[in-house]
Structure formats: structure tokens, C-alpha cells
């Protein structure tokens, strides 16, 4: 999870709300930097802090957050209106080597179930934390175990759209919203 920090003064940070670690009574400087590069060529770098993070009324304490000092053009306001990004992958692939927000919420007992879901739309996409929003789909869900922790890797036995099979041979796959929406983008209140 990262947001533009107060040291993010370049053109690509303009218009975004800034994460002011000095104004937070719970921010603790970890005296570590971070640097991320994404598949589209976007980059971000800055400093790591632990802080209290609240999302939709759920509070994670001691949560690792990046206060970015540089945003590449891919995070400029006209390209990416949200202020920051919150990844949903596991700690094993985190550049911070710290639990992501959802895993912190689970370990702190803040959610009723260790389940989350996305509704991905051109407009009105949502993240549902701690259960399943049954108003967003028809039919039943099939749950499958994660086969390798890091990405959400599962063994996929096949897929079809309507009556047309797309593939029928079992394959290892990852479930990744990043392919659709560059993880979860969000803004500061």
C-alpha cells in the first residue's frame, strides 16, 4: 500500500491528496525505502512507515504504508485519479516484506471471514472485505485452495463462457485484479 507523501512534489504528484506522516500520531518511520515498477512501466519510490489504516470502518494497526516521494507519469492525476494503490498479494511478494492490509485485518480479527471479493466494472467497481456480497452475482461460488502463496495461485481445471469451453486442461493460474485494474486504487479522505 502506498500514497504520495509530503516529499512527493513532482508534477505527477500534483492534485493528489498527500499522506502527511508528520501529522499522524501513529506513524512510525521504519527507516527503509521502497521502489516499485509495474508492468505498464509505471514506477513509484519513497519511504516506509507503519501506521493505523482504516478502510470502510475496518482498522488495521501497525500497517506498513509507503509514503511515496516520486510518482512516474503513470500515476499522474489525469492518468490515475486515485491517490494511491493497495495490493492484495501475500507478504511473500511484498517489496515491504510486511503483511498487506487485508491480512492484517484478518490477523487482528477485524473481519468476520477471511474472504474478499471484487466487482470489476468500468464504473462502480467495489472491494468487499470480510465476506461475500451475494447481491453481485447469481449461482453458487466454487472455492479452491491457493496452491502457492505469493500471488493468488490456484489450479484451474477449465473455463467456459456460456456453453463454449475456453480450455479444459488443468493449469496453474493466478487470480489477479492487477491485470484489470492495476490492483486496488484508492483515494485519501
Amino acid at each position: 500500500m502506498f500514497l504520495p507523501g509530503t516529499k512527493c512534489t513532482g508534477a505527477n504528484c500534483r492534485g493528489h491528496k498527500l499522506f502527511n506522516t508528520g501529522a499522524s500520531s501513529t506513524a512510525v518511520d521504519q527507516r527503509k525505502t521502497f521502489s516499485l515498477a509495474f508492468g505498464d512501466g509505471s514506477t513509484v519510490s519513497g519511504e516506509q512507515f507503519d501506521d493505523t489504516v482504516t478502510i470502510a470502518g475496518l482498522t488495521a494497526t501497525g500497517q506498513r504504508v509507503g509514503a511515496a516521494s516520486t510518482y512516474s507519469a503513470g500515476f499522474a492525476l489525469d492518468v490515475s485519479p486515485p491517490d494511491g494503490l493497495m495490493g492484495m498479494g501475500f507478504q511473500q511478494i511484498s517489496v515491504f516484506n510486511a503483511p498487506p492490509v487485508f491480512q492484517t485485518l484478518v490477523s487482528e480479527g477485524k473481519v468476520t471471514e477471511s474472504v474478499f471479493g471484487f466487482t470489476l466494472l468500468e464504473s462502480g467497481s467495489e472491494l468487499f472485505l470480510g465476506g461475500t456480497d451475494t447481491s453481485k452475482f447469481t449461482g453458487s461460488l466454487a472455492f479452491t485452495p491457493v496452491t502457492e502463496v505469493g500471488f493468488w495461485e490456484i489450479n484451474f481445471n477449465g473455463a467456459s463462457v456460456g456453453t463454449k469451453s475456453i480450455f479444459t486442461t488443468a493449469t496453474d493460474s493466478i487470480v489477479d485484479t492487477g491485470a484489470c485494474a492495476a490492483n486496488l486504487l484508492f483515494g485519501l479522505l
Side-chain angles (χ1 to χ4, degrees):
M1 174 179 193
F2 64 81
L3 295 157
T6 54
K7 293 180 181 177
C8 201
T9 58
N12 297 325
C13 296
R14 287 192 195 114
H16 289 292
K17 293 178 185 169
L18 303 179
F19 172 36
N20 184 349
T21 57
S24 172
S25 63
T26 55
V28 178
D29 190 342
Q30 296 304 299
R31 304 200 186 290
K32 296 179 183 178
T33 60
F34 74 95
S35 181
L36 292 161
F38 297 90
D40 68 353
S42 296
T43 60
V44 61
S45 62
E47 299 175 75
Q48 297 181 41
F49 289 82
D50 283 356
D51 205 349
T52 300
V53 173
T54 301
I55 299 172
L58 303 170
T59 300
T61 58
Q63 181 60 52
R64 188 64 46 93
V65 181
S69 54
T70 61
Y71 264 13
S72 70
F75 291 106
L77 190 63
D78 62 334
V79 176
S80 182
D83 296 315
L85 185 142
M86 182 176 79
M88 300 297 283
F90 290 92
Q91 178 175 346
Q92 288 82 343
I93 62 168
S94 169
V95 71
F96 297 153
N97 191 29
V101 174
F102 185 69
Q103 289 175 329
T104 301
L105 292 171
V106 169
S107 69
E108 292 181 346
K110 303 292 176 73
V111 291
T112 54
E113 293 181 73
S114 56
V115 174
F116 65 87
F118 285 95
T119 303
L120 298 174
L121 304 168
E122 275 191 48
S123 176
S125 295
E126 294 179 351
L127 166 63
F128 193 90
L129 298 170
T132 306
D133 184 351
T134 58
S135 73
K136 300 296 182 183
F137 64 92
T138 59
S140 59
L141 293 175
F143 290 89
T144 186
V146 171
T147 57
E148 188 169 329
V149 175
F151 293 102
W152 290 88
E153 186 173 326
I154 61 171
N155 187 271
F156 213 147
N157 291 323
S160 61
V161 175
T163 59
K164 181 176 172 114
S165 287
I166 297 171
F167 69 92
T168 57
T169 305
T171 186
D172 289 329
S173 303
I174 62 169
V175 180
D176 182 13
T177 59
C180 300
N183 289 310
L184 174 65
L185 300 171
F186 63 98
L188 288 171
L189 296 176

